[in-house]
Amino acid sequence: MLIEVEDDFRSSSDKAYEKIFDMILTGQLKPGEKLIRRKLAEKTGVSTIPVMEALLRLEALGIVESIPYRGSRVVPITKEKVRDWYALREAIECQVMRIITRTLTEDEIADLEKLANKLDAMEQAGDTEGEEFWELHFEMHMIMARKTGHQSLIDSLHRINLFRLLQRAQYSATEHKNQIPKDNHHCLIDALRTRDPLIAEEVMREHIYHSDSMI
Amino acid sequence: MLIEVEDDFRSSSDKAYEKIFDMILTGQLKPGEKLIRRKLAEKTGVSTIPVMEALLRLEALGIVESIPYRGSRVVPITKEKVRDWYALREAIECQVMRIITRTLTEDEIADLEKLANKLDAMEQAGDTEGEEFWELHFEMHMIMARKTGHQSLIDSLHRINLFRLLQRAQYSATEHKNQIPKDNHHCLIDALRTRDPLIAEEVMREHIYHSDSMI
């Protein structure tokens, strides 16, 4: 499951949230598309109040936006918006590297290395289109964020990943496959092993710039 | 006004949002306090649906939280939570410095310098308890964030500032006044004038660590 839903008392709202979220990520609701409460209530099988709650929660995550006097729509993906999210991703992930390079144990680094190797192998095989690659990719970056112990960094990165899923629902990155270096993720592991926050941060920044150049 | 409310079609919800927000920031609703929809509807003069909308928006900002099967409460300020937000603040503001040190004009730096000098003078005079100091302080940091042109960084810093207002509603920082260096904010200006992203980032990090040590 790409979507993580918190335990919550709002069960109808949860149902609407998951269903609408899924429709957005699978492209059934397209970026820019207007979200009509009554129609969504019919599709999700709940009343309009939980639909409204769900839309507000999706708005808080940044994948739905409200337009004054117009209602809500799926956030349209513009090049500017993608660059904007990459600037935030750089801020968050560089901070993650700075923190964990001083605190990870050798065993924790070895665990991350397995994920890094698997990701690099999949990228080299051109096997990056399926859900497995994206789940693994987010898992590696989210594990690193969780190791900081800072919920604010974890939540921010989770939100960025959701936006990237939305982006993926619209664009394919296949045309850039040949530009990916063999150690695209392993270089992060090498950086962590230096135990130097400045080096760790710079290698992450390069890693992100590389993805950014693929937009 | 410390709270910025976006233009929106949800006018009753806006009214509830502003009123509840104000009650939290002025300490009429205390951190940890349970938020009862019916009571809040009475106090804000709207029905329970816009109150619910307002609570979801405050939840998205991180100053209200929902507890499974219990409802909502004002986020309690713990030392851990404060450190958590400082980790995010460091990520965002270091990124802001890295970006703007390469792009600001001399005139823009000179404008920031005026704010920095005013803040430093107020800190030296021990004049940091009133709303004026906090408005000026947020203004300087928000101007720097806006100069990046990245909405994601602006929104993140705005949210962090709201959390700091909430923290301020609970704690006073007066006992630390004598620890504040004379160039607490001016050193950021000197860093920007180097035009070196690494130096700019490091000076911001020091600036934040200094505040962090005052928690």
Side-chain angles (χ1 to χ4, degrees):
Chain A
M1 269 290 285
L2 288 165
I3 313 166
E4 287 171 37
V5 179
E6 310 148 26
D7 265 334
D8 209 305
F9 65 104
R10 298 173 296 214
S11 59
S12 304
S13 158
D14 278 352
K15 195 177 162 188
Y17 175 76
E18 285 179 57
K19 194 87 187 272
I20 298 168
F21 210 151
D22 193 58
M23 290 195 288
I24 293 172
L25 294 185
T26 55
Q28 290 171 68
L29 292 169
K30 304 242 175 296
E33 188 164 340
K34 200 173 165 184
L35 297 165
I36 299 154
R37 290 183 191 183
R38 190 180 39 74
K39 278 194 183 171
L40 291 174
E42 278 169 28
K43 279 189 183 172
T44 55
V46 301
S47 67
T48 53
I49 290 174
V51 164
M52 187 194 71
E53 277 200 354
L55 292 180
L56 281 167
R57 287 163 75 190
L58 291 166
E59 195 178 321
L61 288 174
I63 74 166
V64 160
E65 64 181 14
S66 71
I67 325 152
Y69 308 104
R70 292 255 180 168
S72 305
R73 65 174 176 177
V74 182
V75 163
I77 310 285
T78 59
K79 214 162 182 171
E80 189 198 356
K81 208 151 226 164
V82 175
R83 291 207 182 277
D84 185 38
W85 281 87
Y86 268 88
L88 181 61
R89 186 186 163 200
E90 183 183 331
I92 302 299
E93 297 222 80
C94 287
Q95 174 76 325
V96 166
M97 286 294 272
R98 272 199 296 267
I99 294 172
I100 66 173
T101 199
R102 284 176 288 212
T103 57
L104 284 185
T105 65
E106 293 299 325
D107 285 350
E108 287 174 316
I109 296 179
D111 285 344
L112 282 172
E113 190 170 26
K114 283 175 206 152
L115 286 176
N117 290 343
K118 201 166 172 188
L119 280 169
D120 288 347
M122 287 178 87
E123 283 188 332
Q124 290 307 307
D127 194 13
T128 58
E129 288 301 293
E131 193 165 303
E132 196 197 343
F133 176 78
W134 285 81
E135 280 202 28
L136 205 65
H137 192 264
F138 289 160
E139 192 185 338
M140 179 175 174
H141 287 269
M142 285 306 290
I143 286 173
M144 294 197 288
R146 282 192 206 103
K147 294 290 182 191
T148 65
H150 287 301
Q151 197 59 42
S152 60
L153 298 176
I154 299 166
D155 290 346
S156 296
L157 190 59
H158 180 59
R159 235 176 270 179
I160 293 164
N161 285 340
L162 293 178
F163 185 79
R164 291 167 76 203
L165 282 177
L166 183 61
Q167 185 193 350
R168 178 189 163 228
Q170 197 173 16
Y171 297 110
S172 162
T174 37
E175 64 267 34
H176 304 288
K177 251 183 278 188
N178 56 352
Q179 297 172 0
I180 299 169
K182 276 190 178 166
D183 67 340
N184 194 25
H185 288 87
H186 199 278
C187 66
L188 297 172
I189 306 300
D190 293 335
L192 288 172
R193 289 211 168 103
T194 66
R195 301 296 187 178
D196 182 326
L198 273 182
I199 292 175
E201 182 187 342
E202 278 311 302
V203 173
M204 176 59 90
R205 199 185 318 285
E206 281 301 312
H207 179 75
I208 292 170
Y209 283 168
H210 177 76
S211 317
D212 190 28
S213 70
M214 296 195 297
I215 297 166
Chain B
M1 270 288 287
L2 287 165
I3 313 167
E4 288 171 37
V5 180
E6 313 146 25
D7 263 335
D8 209 303
F9 65 103
R10 299 173 295 215
S11 59
S12 303
S13 158
D14 278 352
K15 194 177 163 188
Y17 175 77
E18 285 178 59
K19 195 89 186 270
I20 298 168
F21 210 153
D22 193 59
M23 289 195 289
I24 293 172
L25 294 186
T26 55
Q28 290 172 68
L29 292 168
K30 303 242 176 294
E33 186 165 342
K34 201 173 164 184
L35 297 166
I36 298 153
R37 290 182 191 185
R38 191 181 37 77
K39 278 195 186 170
L40 291 175
E42 277 169 29
K43 279 189 183 172
T44 55
V46 301
S47 67
T48 53
I49 290 176
V51 164
M52 186 194 72
E53 279 200 353
L55 292 180
L56 282 166
R57 288 163 74 189
L58 290 165
E59 196 179 321
L61 288 175
I63 73 166
V64 160
E65 63 182 13
S66 71
I67 324 153
Y69 309 104
R70 292 254 180 168
S72 306
R73 65 173 176 177
V74 183
V75 162
I77 309 285
T78 60
K79 213 164 183 170
E80 190 199 354
K81 208 151 226 164
V82 175
R83 291 206 182 277
D84 185 38
W85 281 87
Y86 268 88
L88 182 60
R89 185 187 163 200
E90 184 183 330
I92 302 299
E93 297 221 81
C94 286
Q95 174 75 326
V96 166
M97 285 294 272
R98 273 198 296 267
I99 294 172
I100 65 173
T101 198
R102 283 176 289 210
T103 57
L104 285 185
T105 64
E106 293 299 325
D107 284 351
E108 287 173 318
I109 296 179
D111 283 345
L112 282 172
E113 190 170 26
K114 283 174 206 153
L115 286 176
N117 290 343
K118 200 165 174 191
L119 280 168
D120 288 347
M122 287 178 89
E123 283 189 332
Q124 290 307 306
D127 194 12
T128 59
E129 288 303 292
E131 191 165 305
E132 194 197 345
F133 176 78
W134 285 83
E135 281 201 29
L136 205 64
H137 193 264
F138 290 159
E139 190 185 340
M140 179 175 174
H141 286 269
M142 286 305 292
I143 285 173
M144 293 198 289
R146 283 191 206 104
K147 294 289 182 191
T148 66
H150 287 300
Q151 197 58 41
S152 61
L153 299 175
I154 299 165
D155 290 345
S156 296
L157 190 60
H158 180 60
R159 235 177 269 179
I160 293 163
N161 285 341
L162 293 179
F163 185 80
R164 292 167 76 202
L165 281 177
L166 183 62
Q167 184 193 350
R168 178 187 164 230
Q170 197 173 19
Y171 298 110
S172 162
T174 37
E175 64 266 36
H176 304 288
K177 251 182 281 191
N178 54 352
Q179 296 172 1
I180 297 169
K182 277 190 177 165
D183 66 341
N184 193 25
H185 288 87
H186 199 278
C187 65
L188 297 173
I189 306 300
D190 293 334
L192 287 172
R193 289 211 168 103
T194 66
R195 301 295 186 178
D196 182 325
L198 274 182
I199 292 175
E201 182 186 343
E202 279 310 303
V203 172
M204 177 57 89
R205 199 185 318 285
E206 279 303 310
H207 179 75
I208 293 171
Y209 283 167
H210 177 78
S211 317
D212 191 29
S213 71
M214 296 196 295
I215 298 166

